[in-house]
Amino acid sequence: MNKVLLATRNRKKLVELQRILDGALGAHRIALLGLDDVEEYPELPETGLTFGENALIKAREGFRRTGLPTIADDSGLAVDAMGGMPGVFSARWSGRHGDDQANLQLLLDQLAD
């Protein structure tokens, strides 16, 4: 069985992608692993200017650290009325990385006009 790393700690994402792969390729032809399933390594900062660049950073680092084919994604909010912002800065929009409530509140305040 081939192993592939999905560079995430999100169990729901792993289960969903495994279900899709099993449906497309036949059950258990690919074993999908997450970051919690491999030896821990420090995650690199997401320094890309696009979601694609950040996903590529994560995928390359996963391969470099584990030797496994690695896929990754990156996401955030891209608000048309704000010229696509906060984009790759979504998780740290309020200045505190990962504070979803503060990030959302700042975004709503900025859109209030």
Side-chain angles (χ1 to χ4, degrees):
M1 180 179 321
N2 294 315
K3 294 180 182 178
V4 174
L5 176 64
L6 178 60
T8 186
R9 296 189 191 287
N10 183 327
R11 279 281 162 216
K12 290 180 182 179
K13 191 180 290 188
L14 283 163
V15 168
E16 179 64 12
L17 186 53
Q18 185 70 65
R19 184 188 65 76
I20 292 168
L21 290 172
D22 289 350
L25 303 175
H28 308 296
R29 292 189 68 189
I30 291 180
L32 195 60
L33 306 175
L35 291 175
D36 291 333
D37 301 315
V38 297
E39 187 174 328
E40 188 172 342
Y41 61 86
E43 295 177 42
L44 294 177
E46 296 177 7
T47 56
L49 298 179
T50 67
F51 297 128
E53 288 174 4
N54 282 338
L56 191 55
I57 288 168
K58 291 186 266 189
R60 285 180 172 158
E61 186 66 3
F63 176 75
R64 189 175 81 74
R65 295 291 187 148
T66 67
L68 294 170
T70 304
I71 54 177
D73 71 326
D74 191 38
S75 63
L77 299 173
V79 180
D80 289 341
M82 295 176 61
M85 295 305 284
V88 295
F89 305 107
S90 294
R92 55 190 178 277
W93 192 238
S94 68
R96 294 183 304 271
H97 191 280
D99 187 341
D100 292 341
Q101 188 58 45
N103 291 331
L104 178 59
Q105 189 58 55
L106 178 58
L107 182 68
L108 292 172
D109 291 346
Q110 291 171 328
L111 289 170
D113 293 357

